Amino acid sequence: MRKKSEMQKANEEFVKTYDDSKYPKPSVTADIVIFGMFDKEEDNYRKIAEKELKVLLIQRGAAPYEGCYALPGGFVGPKETIGEAAERELKEETNCNCNFLEQFGTYSNPDRDPRRWVISNGFMALVNAGQEIIQAGDDASDAKWFDVSFQEEAGIWNLCLTHGDEKLHARLEETTSKWDVKKKFKTIESDDLAFDHELILADAIVQLRKWITETHIAFRLLPEKFTLRELQQIHETVLDTKLLVPAFRRKVADLVEDTGEMTGDAGHRPAKLYREKR
């Protein structure tokens, strides 16, 4: 068997005569689904705030789909990896920093972009929303956090995104077969989001729900110090379900450590503060 290192000179000679025009080449982009966790506003200061999962959308400032909402993202440059492009676009379009950025899907429908053949790679970013100052930039005219709802009804998945009076909606059909290892969707109706970003966002929500039960990424949605109630709220909000307190605390017992500090919230009984166990 020949070694790759032995073929270097032969490869150099081959490339000199190789016809690069034989195969059409797509452009490549990175689109980023940025999730943040926020406290709901409460009229009663004695009530502990519930959590809300939000996604950051930008309003496109240029064609195609000028004025429509979309995920932040852009084209991969010739001297960068897809991951590097995602990091750059995240900063350029939102001024957002994060400590979690992970690829979760590839989108290659030939008609997904009206400009030309464009293959996109979906990335998920998780941010501590309370510490981020969002600022639209590059080709984005605005950036806003939208409440997220993704629920199934009679076999149809309804994606609803809300920011004040602005409501974005899409309907998707699940196409998962018994051989698929993750859910798959096709769009039935979506006139509010640019490109095929409703599909990318739907996949991201499903992936976040999977990862939060199998990994430690819930801590990326929290400040460094937190209560066990806050950690449970993160799981319940993402999974859209209530969890039994004793069972949840047994599950996370080996993942956290007591800081020895207590909360000082006015109106609430002080609670122990924990941090992720390193």
Side-chain angles (χ1 to χ4, degrees):
M1 181 179 69
R2 304 183 75 172
K3 301 293 186 182
K4 184 167 62 175
S5 56
E6 298 172 353
M7 302 301 297
Q8 183 64 30
K9 187 171 182 59
N11 287 345
E12 292 174 357
E13 293 300 318
F14 168 75
V15 169
K16 290 179 182 178
T17 59
Y18 179 70
D19 183 5
D20 188 53
S21 66
K22 290 194 299 183
Y23 302 104
K25 289 173 283 297
S27 295
V28 180
T29 59
D31 289 309
I32 308 120
V33 181
I34 307 172
F35 288 120
M37 196 67 68
F38 291 75
D39 288 338
K40 286 185 179 179
E41 293 186 4
E42 297 287 354
D43 294 332
N44 184 353
Y45 78 100
R46 292 184 178 275
K47 183 178 180 181
I48 297 176
E50 298 295 325
K51 299 292 184 183
E52 292 178 311
L53 181 68
K54 296 178 183 281
V55 65
L56 186 66
L57 299 180
I58 59 103
Q59 195 166 20
R60 289 184 57 80
Y65 302 115
E66 182 177 1
C68 292
Y69 282 103
L71 298 170
F75 288 93
V76 179
K79 294 185 178 180
E80 62 184 357
T81 67
I82 296 172
E84 290 169 343
E87 292 178 1
R88 172 180 53 76
E89 289 289 342
L90 187 65
K91 188 67 176 176
E92 290 178 355
E93 290 205 350
T94 68
N95 192 41
C96 184
N97 297 294
C98 72
N99 55 9
F100 179 91
L101 183 64
E102 190 72 29
Q103 186 175 359
F104 63 85
T106 300
Y107 302 86
S108 58
N109 187 318
D111 299 324
R112 62 174 303 278
D113 192 311
R115 290 169 291 193
R116 60 163 300 174
W117 181 20
V118 178
I119 294 176
S120 184
N121 298 269
F123 281 79
M124 185 192 305
L126 303 181
V127 301
N128 182 359
Q131 298 179 357
E132 288 297 326
I133 299 175
I134 304 302
Q135 180 179 340
D138 197 18
D139 61 353
S141 64
D142 199 3
K144 297 177 182 178
W145 288 104
F146 281 76
D147 296 333
V148 179
S149 173
F150 188 53
Q151 297 181 331
E152 182 185 15
E153 183 178 348
I156 300 299
W157 288 82
N158 292 292
L159 175 64
C160 297
L161 309 171
T162 308
H163 177 93
D165 294 333
E166 294 184 279
K167 299 184 185 299
L168 313 179
H169 182 254
R171 297 171 65 242
L172 301 97
E173 181 181 0
E174 185 177 341
T175 61
T176 314
S177 76
K178 65 178 181 179
W179 309 112
D180 292 325
V181 296
K182 65 178 185 178
K183 281 185 170 63
K184 293 182 179 179
F185 302 97
K186 71 175 182 180
T187 301
I188 298 175
E189 175 190 343
S190 178
D191 196 34
D192 296 330
L193 286 169
F195 306 103
D196 56 353
H197 287 185
E198 74 284 349
L199 289 174
I200 300 177
L201 182 49
D203 285 351
I205 296 169
V206 170
Q207 192 64 62
L208 178 61
R209 290 173 177 174
K210 177 178 173 63
W211 280 344
I212 207 162
T213 62
E214 298 178 352
T215 73
H216 301 174
I217 66 170
F219 297 111
R220 306 288 81 79
L221 290 164
L222 285 164
E224 181 184 359
K225 299 175 184 179
F226 51 85
T227 66
L228 292 182
R229 179 180 173 87
E230 287 176 316
L231 181 58
Q232 182 167 339
Q233 283 179 317
I234 295 289
H235 283 78
E236 291 178 336
T237 302
V238 170
L239 298 173
D240 196 23
T241 189
K242 290 294 184 182
L243 302 172
L244 295 175
V245 173
F248 178 79
R249 297 199 172 185
R250 285 195 298 270
K251 179 181 177 181
V252 302
D254 293 333
L255 306 180
V256 299
E257 58 186 14
D258 192 339
T259 66
E261 301 176 41
M262 305 286 286
T263 60
D265 296 333
H268 302 151
R269 177 184 295 179
K272 287 184 177 181
L273 286 171
Y274 292 81
R275 60 176 163 241
E276 181 184 6
K277 186 181 289 185
R278 300 296 182 183

